[in-house]
Amino acid sequence: MAAVKHNDYSFLQSVNAFVDDASHFVKISPQLLYQIKVCNSVLRIRFPVRIGKDVMVVEAYRAQHSHHRLPTKGGIRYSEHVNQDEVMALAALMTYKCAVVDVPFGGAKGGVKINPYKMTPAQLERVTRRYTFELVRKNFLGPGIDVPAPDMGTDQRVMAWILDTYLSLKPDDPHGYACVTGKPRELSGIAGRTEATGLGVMYGIREAVSVKQDMRRLGLSTGLEGKTVVIQGFGNVGYHSAYFLWKEGAKIIAIIEYDTAIYNPDGFDIPDVKQYWDQNKRLSGYPKAKMEIKPKEKALELECDILIPAALEGQIHSGNVDRIKAKIIAEAANGPVTYQAHKKLVERGVWIIPDIYLNAGGVIVSYFEWLRNIMRVRFGRIEKRFQEWSNRRIIKLIEEATGKKFPEKIITEASEGPSELALVRSGLEETMASTYQQLREVLRRYRNMKDLRTAAYYSAINKVATTYKLMDIFP
Ligand code: GLU
């Protein structure tokens, strides 16, 4: 269960409280604000699945938070902690997240209450196919209706089962492949989706630490080089965030996982930790750790420049917030800081890079994948050769003008047209960087707005409200 301590708001209450705070800066009627906040549809189902000699009655959900734009979009979580409130909170975050980064979807989230790590692949497949069948039957799945993706406990393989089940039920849907994102590449997935959230986290933090004025106020230099980082979670998002930050020269001094927290003040070599993690499925006993911190949650309280919660919601709460020493909190997870903790951190001047902006990389690249499936073409296919040819022409003109000849190796390198991966990454980088500057600008405009989270919610509410207003539904 998400650890919400000391009577802090629940996850859903926290999200709504953030919306309320930001709404004071927006000209909006109470009715429209209410419409934006409420979850539009929730599907709650129970279905039987044969597990060995037993039959398990599986509890599952799909929440579509906002239909202001269609399809709705958001991951599916497989976890024993899934419950309706959590799924609704996560769906709401998806609405705001998509709005902040201008991805034209409403928000949704699915949850299946199982422990995927205790199931065989065959059992997981049975659960997934039955869940998908239920979603199709209730009209909760389709390229123009609702498009799932991976989340905690699900991956490419689960997305492939969803796709296959959907296609077998709707063989005549011309856009069938766009019914789910995060698919394997061989099944019309897109290059760069797996690492997208973590890479987006790095782009977002890199942009944040490039703002001189903010870093000066925090007593930090600009740039990622040498920044000390504590990260909670070494799953898909946590690992990739750590990896890309490490590549940019940041020092990952602690990693917290389900079994332990490893610490090394000199920083970890992330590919080496990953190799150990893949082989052992745990971090405890990692030989290059200087020490293991117990209890592991104490590592959240380490002195560091950047703390990255990349696991569950509600990890920083009234019970530990006063001991958090990080100068920047970068929310790679959804909802890792409760409303009460957020208030205290802002008061203390901690710089919070909020989830609805920072972990949007996944859905940004999901959007590219969805577009690719709707258009039925790989990005780069049409322009790659053309671009190469144009680049070669420019090089030739320079050679003629200067009378110098470039070596063939340089010509080949300099003229290469973009691959799908390069296009996806540049689209992701551009979205993360320009959105950060937009949010920073909102903060500059409203002097009594104190934090980036309020700026992000402000931006999201404004965009969703505009859609409703343009549809002439609300004044
Ligand atoms: N589950 C991811 C998230 O929370 C990705 C959602 C998507 O790609 O649709 O943002």
Side-chain angles (χ1 to χ4, degrees), residues 246-319:
W246 168 81
K247 265 184 79 171
E248 294 287 315
K251 216 156 77 169
I252 320 295
I253 59 165
I255 308 173
I256 311 166
E257 249 302 331
Y258 73 96
D259 61 326
T260 192
I262 55 172
Y263 175 69
N264 186 340
D266 303 326
F268 288 111
D269 176 290
I270 296 302
D272 193 67
V273 182
K274 174 77 166 130
Q275 203 179 4
Y276 181 85
W277 170 254
D278 286 344
Q279 275 164 8
N280 301 284
K281 308 280 178 259
R282 60 178 162 82
L283 287 185
S284 54
Y286 178 62
K288 290 173 198 154
K290 285 269 153 64
M291 64 184 277
E292 293 191 21
I293 294 170
K294 297 210 164 62
K296 55 186 193 293
E297 291 77 19
K298 277 273 161 210
L300 291 168
E301 299 163 17
L302 284 167
E303 200 95 45
C304 65
D305 298 327
I306 309 172
L307 170 62
I308 308 181
L312 274 177
E313 55 265 18
Q315 297 300 298
I316 299 167
H317 45 76
S318 298

Side-chain angles (χ1 to χ4, degrees), residues 55 138 145 216 240 266 393:
V55 175
K138 306 282 180 357
I145 301 170
R216 198 179 312 127
H240 282 112
D266 303 326
R393 240 170 49 126

Side-chain angles (χ1 to χ4, degrees), residues 73-75 94 97 109 149-151 181 193 334 359 362-363 366:
K73 186 90 191 74
M94 285 308 303
K97 193 185 299 186
K109 201 75 160 203
D151 198 81
T181 59
R193 174 63 184 84
N334 288 313
N359 71 33
V363 80
S366 274

Side-chain angles (χ1 to χ4, degrees), residues 412-461:
T412 310
E413 260 173 38
S415 61
E416 205 182 342
S419 65
E420 183 171 77
L421 184 65
L423 287 167
V424 163
R425 289 195 170 172
S426 81
L428 175 61
E429 183 174 1
E430 161 58 22
T431 311
M432 293 305 294
S434 61
T435 305
Y436 191 85
Q437 295 309 333
Q438 276 169 29
L439 299 182
R440 198 63 199 76
E441 195 45 46
V442 171
L443 267 185
R444 275 187 205 108
R445 199 158 358 117
Y446 294 94
R447 295 239 159 244
N448 52 346
M449 194 188 277
K450 293 277 176 281
D451 61 291
L452 221 47
R453 189 188 320 274
T454 309
Y457 274 92
Y458 164 90
S459 162
I461 298 168

Side-chain angles (χ1 to χ4, degrees), residues 7 32 42 60 65 67 70 75 88 126 140 191 226 229 265 267 270-271 277 301 306 311 327 339 400 449 466:
N7 298 323
L32 177 49
V42 186
H65 171 261
H67 293 147
L70 289 173
M88 283 162 64
R126 231 172 292 146
F140 265 69
V229 175
I270 296 302
W277 170 254
E301 299 163 17
I306 309 172
K327 299 192 167 117
Y339 178 75
E400 274 168 20
M449 194 188 277
T466 304

